[in-house]
Amino acid sequence: MKSARERMDIISAYRDVGTYRGAAAISGTTPKTVKRVIARHESGDGVPARAPREHNYDVVTELVAERIEKTKGRITAKRLLPAARAAGYEGSARNLRRLVAERKALWRNDNHRGRRPAVWSPGEHLVIDWGVLGGLHVFCAVLAWCRVRFVRFAHDERAETTLALLAECFETLGGVPGVVLADRMGCLKGGVVANRVVPTGEYVRFAAHHGFRPDFCEAADPESKGIVENLVGYAKTDLMIPGSDGSGDPFTDLAAANTAAAAWCVEVNAAMHSEICAVPTERLIIERELLAPLPSLRASIGAVLTRKVDRLSCVRFGSARYSVPVALIGTQIRLRVDHDRSLAIIAGPGEGTLVAEHQLVAPGQASINDDHYGGPRPAPRRAVRPKTQPEKAFCALGPVAEAFLTGAAAAGNTRLGPELSELNTLAAAHGEQVFLDALSRAVAFGRWRAADVRSILAAGAGTPQPTTAGDALVLELPRVPTRPLSDYALRTTTRGTS
């Protein structure tokens, strides 16, 4: 079948020469084809609609769509092939993979996660992670707001190595941030209880010495620390390159590796960062004022532009991000800058509909409307999710038990998991209300072990219950008349002589 362009060329040639044979010679086709095209054109008939082509996987299309919906788009074609064979599919595995890919794409279009971009505050977060390439371990850290990067190499990823490099990072930055966000590293993790990561005692002491709060990402959630994951990949591709001698190892010894890493950090931190559109070392001067001190001892205006909404439900304009409703992810929208320096975001054909409006922000900044994401940004919270039977029995006691569990995990009680059975036994022996009163007292005074709760129960109800100080007692004293100082002078007496 001729394309529309070829049909137009045939019609134009026929108008020029007036004969089928001449038009066929010009167009490189046969006179019969020219006659058929001209006849169809003169009769006003359009191109007949092409009937949809049948596929050998049409019999299992509904089955594939159902399984993809049930597994939230995670099932693979390899897992679906036996079920498809049983349902009558006789095609190849390749055709089934094509069908599964198409259906997964349709499912993702209707089930966007709707993630929002991270908004960092100065002096708040330092994100750290480890990477490995060619047997060489690389420690990476990013100060989130100013994007200053820190990279060093090591032979292992033990706790002492990690803490030493973290202390060196603080010295390089010239201060200590408020929170250090890490992956669930085995060297810093003492255990996990009800999805709460219990840091090791050594890490807790290190954090208390430097004055920061240790935090851990959710399990299997790389998006929560993508800022440092990108740095690990960047270091692998730009710094950890094969040696000039043709060997697979980029560096011959650790000292040379760390020297090269320090020079590389100076280079990349002095260059313009593509995300914040600023030089990280210059922004560090501002952020350093908000960092805690190091311990004394080292332990286009007026134009209408078209943009595609990304997976963060944002569009970029002038090197800044502006949020739009989550339902518009993956669609094309238009941007218009009004006279009052506001950015109007329009969706839909023709005049379209105004879906969002923002004030222009500086390059590298983000203007986020919480309504576009279904409400205000939730506070970060690691939910208590009991899994084992002792955890479920203990958490069933209520908010006091959850508060005790959260405080014990933050204090680094690595024996918290085994001690839950002992705490459940104490609750059964003394009664739920008496045990909850003792547990509340343990939470108030920061006592996080089962032996502490047992001591409180043994002391009974006769223990003092300290309360917070009340308002100052102010009394109005009575007024008295004042006397001059002359009233207090010593008076001399004259004795008579005889």
Side-chain angles (χ1 to χ4, degrees):
M1 180 179 293
K2 296 294 183 182
S3 64
R5 184 183 182 87
E6 291 173 338
R7 292 197 302 271
M8 292 302 298
D9 291 340
I10 292 173
I11 295 172
S12 178
Y14 179 77
R15 288 176 178 174
D16 290 340
V17 299
T19 62
Y20 298 143
R21 191 178 300 275
I26 295 174
S27 304
T29 185
T30 63
K32 291 183 179 180
T33 302
V34 175
K35 182 178 180 181
R36 184 169 59 253
V37 171
I38 296 301
R40 183 177 299 160
H41 175 70
E42 292 178 349
S43 63
D45 293 339
V47 179
R50 179 179 296 180
R53 185 173 59 181
E54 296 183 356
H55 302 88
N56 58 5
Y57 51 69
D58 290 341
V59 294
V60 294
T61 300
E62 295 184 1
L63 172 66
V64 171
E66 179 183 353
R67 292 294 182 87
I68 290 175
E69 178 67 29
K70 184 178 180 180
T71 60
K72 306 301 181 183
R74 290 183 173 87
I75 195 168
T76 63
K78 182 178 179 181
R79 292 288 183 183
L80 274 171
L81 184 58
R85 295 290 190 199
Y89 175 66
E90 299 178 354
S92 64
R94 180 179 180 181
N95 272 5
L96 186 64
R97 287 197 299 270
R98 183 181 293 111
L99 171 64
V100 172
E102 293 175 356
R103 289 294 171 176
K104 280 187 176 182
L106 293 176
W107 184 87
R108 293 189 189 100
N109 289 337
D110 297 333
N111 296 272
H112 287 292
R113 181 178 178 180
R115 295 185 294 110
R116 68 181 75 202
V119 179
W120 307 102
S121 300
E124 283 295 323
H125 284 84
L126 178 74
V127 192
I128 63 175
D129 200 6
W130 279 99
V132 182
L133 183 65
L136 197 61
H137 301 267
V138 54
F139 175 82
C140 299
V142 182
L143 194 56
W145 185 77
C146 67
R147 296 301 201 278
V148 167
R149 287 152 283 191
F150 177 86
V151 175
R152 291 295 185 270
F153 294 98
H155 290 304
D156 55 68
E157 298 180 11
R158 294 186 299 178
E160 54 268 25
T161 305
T162 303
L163 298 182
L165 292 176
L166 189 56
E168 184 181 350
C169 177
F170 292 156
E171 293 174 3
T172 303
L173 297 176
V176 181
V179 180
V180 174
L181 179 63
D183 199 358
R184 299 194 171 194
M185 303 178 182
C187 59
L188 304 179
K189 180 179 63 175
V192 180
V193 179
N195 198 43
R196 299 291 302 187
V197 178
V198 182
T200 62
E202 184 180 8
Y203 188 34
V204 171
R205 289 190 294 271
F206 180 86
H209 176 72
H210 286 83
F212 68 87
R213 178 174 64 86
D215 195 9
F216 296 87
C217 298
E218 286 284 353
D221 186 28
E223 291 85 356
S224 60
K225 59 182 181 64
I227 189 174
V228 74
E229 293 282 1
N230 291 335
L231 175 58
V232 174
Y234 186 23
K236 288 180 178 180
T237 57
D238 192 63
L239 175 60
M240 301 173 67
I241 55 178
S244 58
D245 56 356
S247 62
D249 297 328
F251 302 107
T252 56
D253 59 75
L254 187 61
N258 283 325
T259 301
W264 183 78
C265 289
V266 172
E267 177 185 352
V268 297
N269 289 330
M272 180 74 68
H273 195 284
S274 60
E275 181 67 21
I276 62 175
C277 297
V279 179
T281 52
E282 296 177 357
R283 286 177 55 123
L284 178 61
I285 299 174
I286 302 174
E287 188 168 9
R288 187 175 286 137
E289 299 178 358
L290 301 175
L291 298 177
L294 291 168
S296 58
L297 297 177
R298 180 176 179 179
S300 292
I301 307 302
V304 177
L305 305 175
T306 302
R307 292 288 188 273
K308 183 178 180 180
V309 182
D310 59 19
R311 290 186 176 274
L312 297 177
S313 190
C314 291
V315 293
R316 294 185 68 96
F317 175 77
S319 298
R321 290 184 183 274
Y322 301 89
S323 66
V324 299
V326 175
L328 298 177
I329 291 178
T331 62
Q332 296 285 341
I333 52 89
R334 289 169 292 164
L335 309 180
R336 186 188 69 237
V337 179
D338 294 333
H339 64 280
D340 58 348
R341 302 285 296 173
S342 62
L343 181 69
I345 302 177
I346 304 169
E351 294 296 329
T353 304
L354 182 66
V355 295
E357 191 171 9
H358 299 269
Q359 290 296 320
L360 293 180
V361 296
Q365 302 297 320
S367 177
I368 305 300
N369 187 345
D370 290 334
D371 293 337
H372 296 162
Y373 298 91
R377 178 185 296 273
R381 180 177 179 268
R382 307 292 183 262
V384 175
R385 293 195 290 268
K387 296 182 179 179
T388 64
Q389 188 60 35
E391 293 173 1
K392 294 179 180 179
F394 185 75
C395 293
L397 296 175
V400 177
E402 294 184 1
F404 179 86
L405 191 148
T406 301
N413 182 6
T414 56
R415 294 287 302 166
L416 178 60
E419 287 184 350
L420 287 183
S421 299
E422 184 178 352
L423 291 172
N424 291 332
T425 303
L426 292 174
H430 291 81
E432 181 175 336
Q433 187 57 45
V434 174
F435 179 76
L436 287 177
D437 294 340
L439 207 61
S440 300
R441 188 174 180 83
V443 172
F445 288 91
R447 313 300 295 180
W448 309 115
R449 298 190 178 276
D452 301 329
V453 180
R454 188 187 301 107
S455 300
I456 295 174
L457 289 170
T463 56
Q465 303 291 332
T467 58
T468 57
D471 297 333
L473 181 62
V474 179
L475 297 178
E476 186 175 356
L477 300 176
R479 297 180 178 274
V480 297
T482 58
R483 302 171 63 185
L485 292 177
S486 59
D487 292 346
Y488 298 93
L490 296 177
R491 301 183 182 276
T492 59
T493 58
T494 303
R495 295 182 179 180
T497 58
S498 57

